Amino acid sequence: MAAAVGLFFVRPATAADASRPPTPALFPAATCMVTVDRSVDPVFHVAYDVPFDDTDRGPDEVADGRTLQFFAFRRQFRAPPPNWITWDDVARAMAAPATDPFEATDDDVLETAGAWADGAWVRITPDDARLPITKAQAAMGVSWDTSSVEAGTYVIAAYTFDPVLNLWSPRPGVVRVLDGPAGPDAPPALALVEASPGGVVPAGSEVTVTGCVAAADGSSVTVETAFLAGAEGLDWQAQAPVPAGGPGDAAFSFVVPEPPGSAGQLVVRATVEDPLGRRYTAYLPGALDVTASAADTTGGTTGGASGAGGGGCACHAGGAGGRGAGGWGLGVLLAWARRRKRVHLCRAC
């Protein structure tokens, strides 16, 4: 069963549908951490699905729109990567009657974004052979030949090319690419899956995040939390480091801090560090909705809600328990129209 992504999918009625969000890739429930031992087999099979066939492009759309492409990233991220892959994609979208991107900068294009330079990502499928969004294509999955990539820990994400909205759909969990059985020399890896309790939690309560870890003996994990409070950046507050434990499932607890106002949205990340100083950071999907404790009488606005007037990040994911990509850009998708679209590009925060 494919992981839910938090959208109500409606099959497009016509090719000229003016308010249709991009169709995501859906990933099945996955093992939290998978190791690809290249000394045995360098190919990793990526299983995915789509909610319905979406190939009915109109004459005013980009000729290769409504297609999927797959990528692997060397680090995890809380907000989605850039909205565009290449400047050629931007140019073709500008030339199509139905789409009109504007104010794109180098940081809005994956190939030129400074934050994603130096081998931070690799293509699994090429730009000029993006895949049709069909059930038949999805049933074949995608094969990732890891022979030429650096060893390390990767997250996989599907990219729906459907200008100008486009869409990233991340695969749950991580994929470790190693050149032999995982041993003490392998770099550390970590993934966070969900929080319990999730949804709305009061400040002062204890929350446990679960996931998986693989690291050498003597490694530690540091959990950090931050409230979404605007575009200036996040003020991450670190908990005391705890032992990473043995490889496999992992759980880490923390006490929910007081929000900056009467409520706020809390994001969570954790970093594993081994005795050699190698580090890897994982992000909990989504955000926790936090209410002030009964002892806190501080008034004020919500600390980082993503709706109008909330002052938060419109790109953040949905509820903390969500798996997969559904939260990314959900508010953006529902707010933007499909007619000749001139929109400000969503920035990571």
mmCIF file of all heavy atoms in Angstrom, residues 4-7 77-81 167-170 192-193 199 226 228 234 264-268 283-289 304-307 312-333 346-349:
data_model
loop_
_atom_site.group_PDB
_atom_site.id
_atom_site.type_symbol
_atom_site.label_atom_id
_atom_site.label_comp_id
_atom_site.label_asym_id
_atom_site.label_seq_id
_atom_site.Cartn_x
_atom_site.Cartn_y
_atom_site.Cartn_z
ATOM 1 N N ALA A 4 0.463 7.428 2.177
ATOM 2 C CA ALA A 4 -0.407 8.567 1.920
ATOM 3 C C ALA A 4 0.404 9.839 1.868
ATOM 4 O O ALA A 4 1.403 9.991 2.549
ATOM 5 C CB ALA A 4 -1.458 8.680 3.019
ATOM 6 N N VAL A 5 0.008 10.806 1.050
ATOM 7 C CA VAL A 5 0.743 12.050 0.947
ATOM 8 C C VAL A 5 -0.077 13.256 1.331
ATOM 9 O O VAL A 5 0.346 14.378 1.165
ATOM 10 C CB VAL A 5 1.313 12.250 -0.473
ATOM 11 C CG1 VAL A 5 2.283 11.160 -0.817
ATOM 12 C CG2 VAL A 5 0.209 12.329 -1.489
ATOM 13 N N GLY A 6 -1.270 13.094 1.856
ATOM 14 C CA GLY A 6 -1.989 14.212 2.423
ATOM 15 C C GLY A 6 -2.715 15.087 1.431
ATOM 16 O O GLY A 6 -3.043 16.229 1.726
ATOM 17 N N LEU A 7 -2.959 14.628 0.214
ATOM 18 C CA LEU A 7 -3.711 15.393 -0.760
ATOM 19 C C LEU A 7 -4.942 14.596 -1.174
ATOM 20 O O LEU A 7 -4.948 13.377 -1.146
ATOM 21 C CB LEU A 7 -2.877 15.650 -2.024
ATOM 22 C CG LEU A 7 -1.686 16.615 -1.890
ATOM 23 C CD1 LEU A 7 -0.908 16.610 -3.189
ATOM 24 C CD2 LEU A 7 -2.178 18.015 -1.597
ATOM 25 N N PHE A 77 17.001 16.918 4.197
ATOM 26 C CA PHE A 77 16.588 18.317 4.177
ATOM 27 C C PHE A 77 15.192 18.416 4.758
ATOM 28 O O PHE A 77 14.380 17.501 4.637
ATOM 29 C CB PHE A 77 16.623 18.882 2.755
ATOM 30 C CG PHE A 77 16.223 17.883 1.692
ATOM 31 C CD1 PHE A 77 14.902 17.643 1.386
ATOM 32 C CD2 PHE A 77 17.191 17.145 1.028
ATOM 33 C CE1 PHE A 77 14.539 16.707 0.429
ATOM 34 C CE2 PHE A 77 16.841 16.210 0.060
ATOM 35 C CZ PHE A 77 15.518 15.990 -0.230
ATOM 36 N N ARG A 78 14.920 19.549 5.404
ATOM 37 C CA ARG A 78 13.608 19.759 6.002
ATOM 38 C C ARG A 78 12.634 20.345 4.986
ATOM 39 O O ARG A 78 11.448 20.010 4.960
ATOM 40 C CB ARG A 78 13.729 20.676 7.219
ATOM 41 C CG ARG A 78 12.455 20.767 8.057
ATOM 42 C CD ARG A 78 12.549 21.871 9.078
ATOM 43 N NE ARG A 78 12.745 23.163 8.446
ATOM 44 C CZ ARG A 78 11.768 23.857 7.873
ATOM 45 N NH1 ARG A 78 10.541 23.372 7.831
ATOM 46 N NH2 ARG A 78 12.014 25.021 7.331
ATOM 47 N N ALA A 79 13.111 21.280 4.184
ATOM 48 C CA ALA A 79 12.298 21.893 3.134
ATOM 49 C C ALA A 79 12.743 21.338 1.788
ATOM 50 O O ALA A 79 13.869 20.844 1.656
ATOM 51 C CB ALA A 79 12.443 23.414 3.173
ATOM 52 N N PRO A 80 11.882 21.383 0.772
ATOM 53 C CA PRO A 80 12.211 20.743 -0.500
ATOM 54 C C PRO A 80 13.376 21.405 -1.212
ATOM 55 O O PRO A 80 13.668 22.587 -0.998
ATOM 56 C CB PRO A 80 10.917 20.887 -1.318
ATOM 57 C CG PRO A 80 10.207 22.043 -0.708
ATOM 58 C CD PRO A 80 10.533 21.993 0.754
ATOM 59 N N PRO A 81 14.058 20.666 -2.094
ATOM 60 C CA PRO A 81 15.100 21.255 -2.941
ATOM 61 C C PRO A 81 14.505 22.291 -3.889
ATOM 62 O O PRO A 81 13.291 22.499 -3.923
ATOM 63 C CB PRO A 81 15.646 20.034 -3.695
ATOM 64 C CG PRO A 81 15.254 18.855 -2.867
ATOM 65 C CD PRO A 81 13.937 19.217 -2.248
ATOM 66 N N LEU A 167 6.957 19.495 -8.206
ATOM 67 C CA LEU A 167 6.699 18.886 -6.894
ATOM 68 C C LEU A 167 7.790 17.880 -6.557
ATOM 69 O O LEU A 167 8.199 17.097 -7.411
ATOM 70 C CB LEU A 167 5.333 18.174 -6.897
ATOM 71 C CG LEU A 167 4.902 17.500 -5.593
ATOM 72 C CD1 LEU A 167 4.647 18.538 -4.496
ATOM 73 C CD2 LEU A 167 3.657 16.646 -5.808
ATOM 74 N N TRP A 168 8.254 17.916 -5.312
ATOM 75 C CA TRP A 168 9.169 16.900 -4.798
ATOM 76 C C TRP A 168 8.401 15.929 -3.907
ATOM 77 O O TRP A 168 7.634 16.353 -3.050
ATOM 78 C CB TRP A 168 10.293 17.551 -3.991
ATOM 79 C CG TRP A 168 11.305 18.262 -4.826
ATOM 80 C CD1 TRP A 168 11.391 19.604 -5.055
ATOM 81 C CD2 TRP A 168 12.386 17.661 -5.546
ATOM 82 N NE1 TRP A 168 12.455 19.886 -5.872
ATOM 83 C CE2 TRP A 168 13.088 18.700 -6.192
ATOM 84 C CE3 TRP A 168 12.832 16.348 -5.699
ATOM 85 C CZ2 TRP A 168 14.212 18.472 -6.983
ATOM 86 C CZ3 TRP A 168 13.943 16.113 -6.492
ATOM 87 C CH2 TRP A 168 14.631 17.168 -7.123
ATOM 88 N N SER A 169 8.642 14.634 -4.105
ATOM 89 C CA SER A 169 8.037 13.584 -3.279
ATOM 90 C C SER A 169 9.161 12.720 -2.723
ATOM 91 O O SER A 169 9.771 11.934 -3.458
ATOM 92 C CB SER A 169 7.082 12.706 -4.108
ATOM 93 O OG SER A 169 6.092 13.475 -4.747
ATOM 94 N N PRO A 170 9.488 12.842 -1.438
ATOM 95 C CA PRO A 170 10.606 12.065 -0.891
ATOM 96 C C PRO A 170 10.216 10.645 -0.536
ATOM 97 O O PRO A 170 9.106 10.371 -0.087
ATOM 98 C CB PRO A 170 10.984 12.855 0.364
ATOM 99 C CG PRO A 170 9.692 13.469 0.800
ATOM 100 C CD PRO A 170 8.920 13.774 -0.452
ATOM 101 N N LEU A 192 14.771 9.442 10.820
ATOM 102 C CA LEU A 192 13.661 9.637 11.749
ATOM 103 C C LEU A 192 12.370 9.382 10.990
ATOM 104 O O LEU A 192 12.199 9.841 9.856
ATOM 105 C CB LEU A 192 13.659 11.055 12.325
ATOM 106 C CG LEU A 192 14.926 11.474 13.086
ATOM 107 C CD1 LEU A 192 14.785 12.905 13.591
ATOM 108 C CD2 LEU A 192 15.229 10.519 14.236
ATOM 109 N N VAL A 193 11.456 8.660 11.615
ATOM 110 C CA VAL A 193 10.242 8.230 10.923
ATOM 111 C C VAL A 193 9.000 8.955 11.442
ATOM 112 O O VAL A 193 8.226 9.519 10.678
ATOM 113 C CB VAL A 193 10.059 6.707 11.042
ATOM 114 C CG1 VAL A 193 8.744 6.268 10.422
ATOM 115 C CG2 VAL A 193 11.234 5.984 10.378
ATOM 116 N N GLY A 199 0.751 15.155 16.146
ATOM 117 C CA GLY A 199 -0.357 16.108 16.090
ATOM 118 C C GLY A 199 -0.140 17.278 17.020
ATOM 119 O O GLY A 199 0.911 17.907 17.017
ATOM 120 N N ALA A 226 13.251 23.282 16.927
ATOM 121 C CA ALA A 226 13.146 24.702 16.595
ATOM 122 C C ALA A 226 11.716 25.004 16.206
ATOM 123 O O ALA A 226 11.025 24.169 15.603
ATOM 124 C CB ALA A 226 14.099 25.072 15.458
ATOM 125 N N LEU A 228 9.050 27.118 13.939
ATOM 126 C CA LEU A 228 8.951 27.864 12.695
ATOM 127 C C LEU A 228 8.492 29.269 13.039
ATOM 128 O O LEU A 228 7.374 29.470 13.516
ATOM 129 C CB LEU A 228 7.948 27.195 11.753
ATOM 130 C CG LEU A 228 8.308 25.785 11.289
ATOM 131 C CD1 LEU A 228 7.145 25.171 10.525
ATOM 132 C CD2 LEU A 228 9.564 25.792 10.435
ATOM 133 N N LEU A 234 16.120 29.247 11.496
ATOM 134 C CA LEU A 234 15.589 28.527 12.645
ATOM 135 C C LEU A 234 16.575 28.580 13.803
ATOM 136 O O LEU A 234 17.788 28.431 13.619
ATOM 137 C CB LEU A 234 15.310 27.071 12.265
ATOM 138 C CG LEU A 234 14.259 26.859 11.180
ATOM 139 C CD1 LEU A 234 14.115 25.378 10.870
ATOM 140 C CD2 LEU A 234 12.923 27.443 11.594
ATOM 141 N N GLY A 264 2.626 27.153 18.436
ATOM 142 C CA GLY A 264 3.670 27.199 17.425
ATOM 143 C C GLY A 264 3.867 25.839 16.800
ATOM 144 O O GLY A 264 3.307 24.839 17.261
ATOM 145 N N GLN A 265 4.648 25.804 15.734
ATOM 146 C CA GLN A 265 4.941 24.554 15.046
ATOM 147 C C GLN A 265 6.411 24.224 15.247
ATOM 148 O O GLN A 265 7.308 25.016 14.934
ATOM 149 C CB GLN A 265 4.590 24.648 13.568
ATOM 150 C CG GLN A 265 3.077 24.668 13.343
ATOM 151 C CD GLN A 265 2.736 24.614 11.875
ATOM 152 O OE1 GLN A 265 3.266 25.365 11.091
ATOM 153 N NE2 GLN A 265 1.841 23.704 11.515
ATOM 154 N N LEU A 266 6.660 23.036 15.763
ATOM 155 C CA LEU A 266 7.991 22.609 16.166
ATOM 156 C C LEU A 266 8.537 21.593 15.175
ATOM 157 O O LEU A 266 7.874 20.596 14.877
ATOM 158 C CB LEU A 266 7.936 22.000 17.566
ATOM 159 C CG LEU A 266 9.280 21.686 18.240
ATOM 160 C CD1 LEU A 266 9.954 22.982 18.695
ATOM 161 C CD2 LEU A 266 9.063 20.750 19.431
ATOM 162 N N VAL A 267 9.730 21.854 14.673
ATOM 163 C CA VAL A 267 10.398 20.901 13.796
ATOM 164 C C VAL A 267 11.548 20.259 14.565
ATOM 165 O O VAL A 267 12.090 20.845 15.509
ATOM 166 C CB VAL A 267 10.895 21.567 12.496
ATOM 167 C CG1 VAL A 267 9.719 21.937 11.618
ATOM 168 C CG2 VAL A 267 11.739 22.801 12.802
ATOM 169 N N VAL A 268 11.908 19.052 14.149
ATOM 170 C CA VAL A 268 12.856 18.239 14.908
ATOM 171 C C VAL A 268 13.900 17.666 13.955
ATOM 172 O O VAL A 268 13.576 17.215 12.852
ATOM 173 C CB VAL A 268 12.138 17.075 15.631
ATOM 174 C CG1 VAL A 268 13.130 16.259 16.450
ATOM 175 C CG2 VAL A 268 11.008 17.600 16.512
ATOM 176 N N TYR A 283 16.039 14.560 9.579
ATOM 177 C CA TYR A 283 14.918 15.427 9.922
ATOM 178 C C TYR A 283 13.652 14.596 10.104
ATOM 179 O O TYR A 283 13.374 13.687 9.319
ATOM 180 C CB TYR A 283 14.681 16.468 8.828
ATOM 181 C CG TYR A 283 15.756 17.526 8.770
ATOM 182 C CD1 TYR A 283 16.932 17.302 8.053
ATOM 183 C CD2 TYR A 283 15.623 18.738 9.437
ATOM 184 C CE1 TYR A 283 17.935 18.246 7.999
ATOM 185 C CE2 TYR A 283 16.615 19.699 9.389
ATOM 186 C CZ TYR A 283 17.764 19.449 8.672
ATOM 187 O OH TYR A 283 18.763 20.405 8.636
ATOM 188 N N LEU A 284 12.893 14.922 11.127
ATOM 189 C CA LEU A 284 11.588 14.302 11.311
ATOM 190 C C LEU A 284 10.624 14.879 10.279
ATOM 191 O O LEU A 284 10.516 16.101 10.149
ATOM 192 C CB LEU A 284 11.063 14.578 12.716
ATOM 193 C CG LEU A 284 9.693 13.986 13.055
ATOM 194 C CD1 LEU A 284 9.788 12.479 13.205
ATOM 195 C CD2 LEU A 284 9.135 14.607 14.336
ATOM 196 N N PRO A 285 9.912 14.037 9.517
ATOM 197 C CA PRO A 285 8.941 14.583 8.561
ATOM 198 C C PRO A 285 7.877 15.409 9.268
ATOM 199 O O PRO A 285 7.354 15.023 10.314
ATOM 200 C CB PRO A 285 8.330 13.329 7.922
ATOM 201 C CG PRO A 285 9.343 12.250 8.140
ATOM 202 C CD PRO A 285 9.971 12.557 9.468
ATOM 203 N N GLY A 286 7.557 16.561 8.722
ATOM 204 C CA GLY A 286 6.462 17.365 9.226
ATOM 205 C C GLY A 286 6.842 18.219 10.413
ATOM 206 O O GLY A 286 8.006 18.515 10.661
ATOM 207 N N ALA A 287 5.827 18.622 11.165
ATOM 208 C CA ALA A 287 6.014 19.498 12.320
ATOM 209 C C ALA A 287 5.004 19.142 13.391
ATOM 210 O O ALA A 287 3.895 18.687 13.094
ATOM 211 C CB ALA A 287 5.860 20.959 11.908
ATOM 212 N N LEU A 288 5.389 19.351 14.634
ATOM 213 C CA LEU A 288 4.482 19.170 15.761
ATOM 214 C C LEU A 288 3.766 20.491 16.039
ATOM 215 O O LEU A 288 4.399 21.542 16.120
ATOM 216 C CB LEU A 288 5.255 18.757 17.015
ATOM 217 C CG LEU A 288 5.843 17.352 17.065
ATOM 218 C CD1 LEU A 288 6.846 17.257 18.198
ATOM 219 C CD2 LEU A 288 4.745 16.331 17.248
ATOM 220 N N ASP A 289 2.458 20.437 16.188
ATOM 221 C CA ASP A 289 1.696 21.608 16.617
ATOM 222 C C ASP A 289 1.749 21.676 18.137
ATOM 223 O O ASP A 289 1.249 20.781 18.818
ATOM 224 C CB ASP A 289 0.247 21.519 16.130
ATOM 225 C CG ASP A 289 0.152 21.645 14.621
ATOM 226 O OD1 ASP A 289 0.796 22.548 14.065
ATOM 227 O OD2 ASP A 289 -0.553 20.835 13.999
ATOM 228 N N GLY A 304 4.822 30.549 14.025
ATOM 229 C CA GLY A 304 5.258 29.902 12.806
ATOM 230 C C GLY A 304 4.191 29.125 12.080
ATOM 231 O O GLY A 304 4.506 28.315 11.233
ATOM 232 N N ALA A 305 2.889 29.292 12.359
ATOM 233 C CA ALA A 305 1.874 28.633 11.548
ATOM 234 C C ALA A 305 2.007 29.111 10.129
ATOM 235 O O ALA A 305 2.300 30.261 9.870
ATOM 236 C CB ALA A 305 0.487 28.956 12.093
ATOM 237 N N SER A 306 1.752 28.220 9.169
ATOM 238 C CA SER A 306 2.081 28.537 7.790
ATOM 239 C C SER A 306 0.950 29.206 7.039
ATOM 240 O O SER A 306 1.085 29.511 5.879
ATOM 241 C CB SER A 306 2.483 27.250 7.059
ATOM 242 O OG SER A 306 1.395 26.357 7.028
ATOM 243 N N GLY A 307 -0.164 29.448 7.646
ATOM 244 C CA GLY A 307 -1.262 30.091 6.949
ATOM 245 C C GLY A 307 -1.047 31.576 6.831
ATOM 246 O O GLY A 307 -0.058 32.141 7.257
ATOM 247 N N GLY A 312 5.104 32.057 9.095
ATOM 248 C CA GLY A 312 5.959 30.879 9.068
ATOM 249 C C GLY A 312 6.377 30.526 7.669
ATOM 250 O O GLY A 312 6.263 31.307 6.747
ATOM 251 N N CYS A 313 6.873 29.317 7.518
ATOM 252 C CA CYS A 313 7.371 28.856 6.231
ATOM 253 C C CYS A 313 6.260 28.137 5.477
ATOM 254 O O CYS A 313 5.756 27.127 5.924
ATOM 255 C CB CYS A 313 8.552 27.916 6.454
ATOM 256 S SG CYS A 313 9.095 27.123 4.942
ATOM 257 N N ALA A 314 5.888 28.648 4.326
ATOM 258 C CA ALA A 314 4.802 28.044 3.563
ATOM 259 C C ALA A 314 5.193 26.735 2.915
ATOM 260 O O ALA A 314 4.368 26.102 2.297
ATOM 261 C CB ALA A 314 4.331 29.025 2.488
ATOM 262 N N CYS A 315 6.465 26.348 3.038
ATOM 263 C CA CYS A 315 6.923 25.113 2.395
ATOM 264 C C CYS A 315 6.981 23.930 3.333
ATOM 265 O O CYS A 315 7.316 22.845 2.910
ATOM 266 C CB CYS A 315 8.324 25.311 1.815
ATOM 267 S SG CYS A 315 8.427 26.659 0.658
ATOM 268 N N HIS A 316 6.715 24.141 4.619
ATOM 269 C CA HIS A 316 6.983 23.051 5.550
ATOM 270 C C HIS A 316 5.979 21.925 5.371
ATOM 271 O O HIS A 316 4.902 22.097 4.822
ATOM 272 C CB HIS A 316 6.959 23.556 7.002
ATOM 273 C CG HIS A 316 5.582 23.837 7.508
ATOM 274 N ND1 HIS A 316 4.750 22.848 7.954
ATOM 275 C CD2 HIS A 316 4.895 24.993 7.618
ATOM 276 C CE1 HIS A 316 3.601 23.385 8.328
ATOM 277 N NE2 HIS A 316 3.667 24.671 8.128
ATOM 278 N N ALA A 317 6.373 20.747 5.859
ATOM 279 C CA ALA A 317 5.524 19.575 5.722
ATOM 280 C C ALA A 317 4.371 19.643 6.696
ATOM 281 O O ALA A 317 4.294 20.505 7.558
ATOM 282 C CB ALA A 317 6.348 18.308 5.951
ATOM 283 N N GLY A 318 3.457 18.681 6.554
ATOM 284 C CA GLY A 318 2.265 18.666 7.381
ATOM 285 C C GLY A 318 2.506 18.038 8.726
ATOM 286 O O GLY A 318 3.558 18.193 9.314
ATOM 287 N N GLY A 319 1.529 17.281 9.238
ATOM 288 C CA GLY A 319 1.599 16.738 10.587
ATOM 289 C C GLY A 319 2.820 15.879 10.807
ATOM 290 O O GLY A 319 3.359 15.270 9.897
ATOM 291 N N ALA A 320 3.253 15.831 12.059
ATOM 292 C CA ALA A 320 4.524 15.177 12.351
ATOM 293 C C ALA A 320 4.489 13.694 12.074
ATOM 294 O O ALA A 320 5.519 13.073 11.877
ATOM 295 C CB ALA A 320 4.904 15.421 13.806
ATOM 296 N N GLY A 321 3.334 13.099 12.056
ATOM 297 C CA GLY A 321 3.306 11.659 11.838
ATOM 298 C C GLY A 321 3.355 11.266 10.391
ATOM 299 O O GLY A 321 3.404 10.098 10.069
ATOM 300 N N GLY A 322 3.300 12.237 9.457
ATOM 301 C CA GLY A 322 3.210 11.894 8.053
ATOM 302 C C GLY A 322 4.462 11.249 7.529
ATOM 303 O O GLY A 322 5.561 11.631 7.854
ATOM 304 N N ARG A 323 4.326 10.260 6.651
ATOM 305 C CA ARG A 323 5.452 9.622 5.999
ATOM 306 C C ARG A 323 5.395 10.004 4.541
ATOM 307 O O ARG A 323 4.355 9.977 3.935
ATOM 308 C CB ARG A 323 5.383 8.098 6.142
ATOM 309 C CG ARG A 323 5.367 7.634 7.586
ATOM 310 C CD ARG A 323 5.083 6.149 7.621
ATOM 311 N NE ARG A 323 4.923 5.702 8.972
ATOM 312 C CZ ARG A 323 5.692 4.799 9.550
ATOM 313 N NH1 ARG A 323 6.685 4.287 8.902
ATOM 314 N NH2 ARG A 323 5.480 4.432 10.790
ATOM 315 N N GLY A 324 6.548 10.298 3.975
ATOM 316 C CA GLY A 324 6.577 10.606 2.567
ATOM 317 C C GLY A 324 6.473 12.089 2.323
ATOM 318 O O GLY A 324 6.771 12.908 3.166
ATOM 319 N N ALA A 325 6.026 12.462 1.097
ATOM 320 C CA ALA A 325 6.190 13.819 0.617
ATOM 321 C C ALA A 325 4.996 14.697 0.781
ATOM 322 O O ALA A 325 5.031 15.844 0.407
ATOM 323 C CB ALA A 325 6.534 13.767 -0.873
ATOM 324 N N GLY A 326 3.892 14.224 1.307
ATOM 325 C CA GLY A 326 2.651 14.958 1.195
ATOM 326 C C GLY A 326 2.688 16.345 1.729
ATOM 327 O O GLY A 326 2.027 17.227 1.213
ATOM 328 N N GLY A 327 3.448 16.590 2.829
ATOM 329 C CA GLY A 327 3.421 17.912 3.418
ATOM 330 C C GLY A 327 4.127 18.947 2.590
ATOM 331 O O GLY A 327 3.826 20.124 2.687
ATOM 332 N N TRP A 328 5.133 18.555 1.798
ATOM 333 C CA TRP A 328 5.900 19.533 1.069
ATOM 334 C C TRP A 328 5.017 20.290 0.100
ATOM 335 O O TRP A 328 4.428 19.731 -0.814
ATOM 336 C CB TRP A 328 7.010 18.867 0.273
ATOM 337 C CG TRP A 328 8.199 18.533 1.096
ATOM 338 C CD1 TRP A 328 8.385 18.746 2.419
ATOM 339 C CD2 TRP A 328 9.376 17.908 0.626
ATOM 340 N NE1 TRP A 328 9.599 18.297 2.796
ATOM 341 C CE2 TRP A 328 10.232 17.780 1.728
ATOM 342 C CE3 TRP A 328 9.791 17.450 -0.617
ATOM 343 C CZ2 TRP A 328 11.483 17.215 1.609
ATOM 344 C CZ3 TRP A 328 11.022 16.881 -0.732
ATOM 345 C CH2 TRP A 328 11.867 16.764 0.374
ATOM 346 N N GLY A 329 4.934 21.586 0.284
ATOM 347 C CA GLY A 329 4.245 22.415 -0.684
ATOM 348 C C GLY A 329 2.755 22.244 -0.715
ATOM 349 O O GLY A 329 2.108 22.736 -1.628
ATOM 350 N N LEU A 330 2.137 21.563 0.259
ATOM 351 C CA LEU A 330 0.700 21.334 0.203
ATOM 352 C C LEU A 330 -0.052 22.644 0.198
ATOM 353 O O LEU A 330 -0.949 22.862 -0.621
ATOM 354 C CB LEU A 330 0.255 20.478 1.396
ATOM 355 C CG LEU A 330 -1.250 20.276 1.568
ATOM 356 C CD1 LEU A 330 -1.837 19.669 0.303
ATOM 357 C CD2 LEU A 330 -1.533 19.409 2.769
ATOM 358 N N GLY A 331 0.298 23.546 1.120
ATOM 359 C CA GLY A 331 -0.379 24.839 1.150
ATOM 360 C C GLY A 331 -0.168 25.611 -0.128
ATOM 361 O O GLY A 331 -1.057 26.312 -0.616
ATOM 362 N N VAL A 332 1.036 25.495 -0.704
ATOM 363 C CA VAL A 332 1.323 26.186 -1.950
ATOM 364 C C VAL A 332 0.474 25.634 -3.079
ATOM 365 O O VAL A 332 -0.103 26.369 -3.876
ATOM 366 C CB VAL A 332 2.825 26.047 -2.288
ATOM 367 C CG1 VAL A 332 3.151 26.731 -3.601
ATOM 368 C CG2 VAL A 332 3.664 26.644 -1.160
ATOM 369 N N LEU A 333 0.372 24.296 -3.153
ATOM 370 C CA LEU A 333 -0.381 23.676 -4.236
ATOM 371 C C LEU A 333 -1.832 24.094 -4.225
ATOM 372 O O LEU A 333 -2.446 24.343 -5.262
ATOM 373 C CB LEU A 333 -0.293 22.154 -4.132
ATOM 374 C CG LEU A 333 1.089 21.543 -4.342
ATOM 375 C CD1 LEU A 333 0.996 20.044 -4.184
ATOM 376 C CD2 LEU A 333 1.628 21.913 -5.693
ATOM 377 N N CYS A 346 8.666 29.190 -4.251
ATOM 378 C CA CYS A 346 8.730 28.829 -2.836
ATOM 379 C C CYS A 346 10.179 28.653 -2.425
ATOM 380 O O CYS A 346 10.926 27.935 -3.070
ATOM 381 C CB CYS A 346 7.936 27.549 -2.601
ATOM 382 S SG CYS A 346 7.813 27.068 -0.922
ATOM 383 N N ARG A 347 10.584 29.303 -1.355
ATOM 384 C CA ARG A 347 11.967 29.198 -0.878
ATOM 385 C C ARG A 347 12.022 28.331 0.358
ATOM 386 O O ARG A 347 11.117 28.348 1.198
ATOM 387 C CB ARG A 347 12.527 30.588 -0.529
ATOM 388 C CG ARG A 347 12.552 31.545 -1.722
ATOM 389 C CD ARG A 347 13.537 31.065 -2.784
ATOM 390 N NE ARG A 347 13.578 32.017 -3.884
ATOM 391 C CZ ARG A 347 14.395 33.062 -3.903
ATOM 392 N NH1 ARG A 347 15.181 33.291 -2.897
ATOM 393 N NH2 ARG A 347 14.406 33.870 -4.939
ATOM 394 N N ALA A 348 13.090 27.586 0.503
ATOM 395 C CA ALA A 348 13.300 26.819 1.739
ATOM 396 C C ALA A 348 13.550 27.767 2.885
ATOM 397 O O ALA A 348 14.092 28.847 2.717
ATOM 398 C CB ALA A 348 14.497 25.888 1.562
ATOM 399 N N CYS A 349 13.101 27.379 4.064
ATOM 400 C CA CYS A 349 13.319 28.246 5.215
ATOM 401 C C CYS A 349 13.888 27.452 6.371
ATOM 402 O O CYS A 349 13.968 26.258 6.307
ATOM 403 C CB CYS A 349 12.016 28.908 5.643
ATOM 404 S SG CYS A 349 10.745 27.728 6.072
#
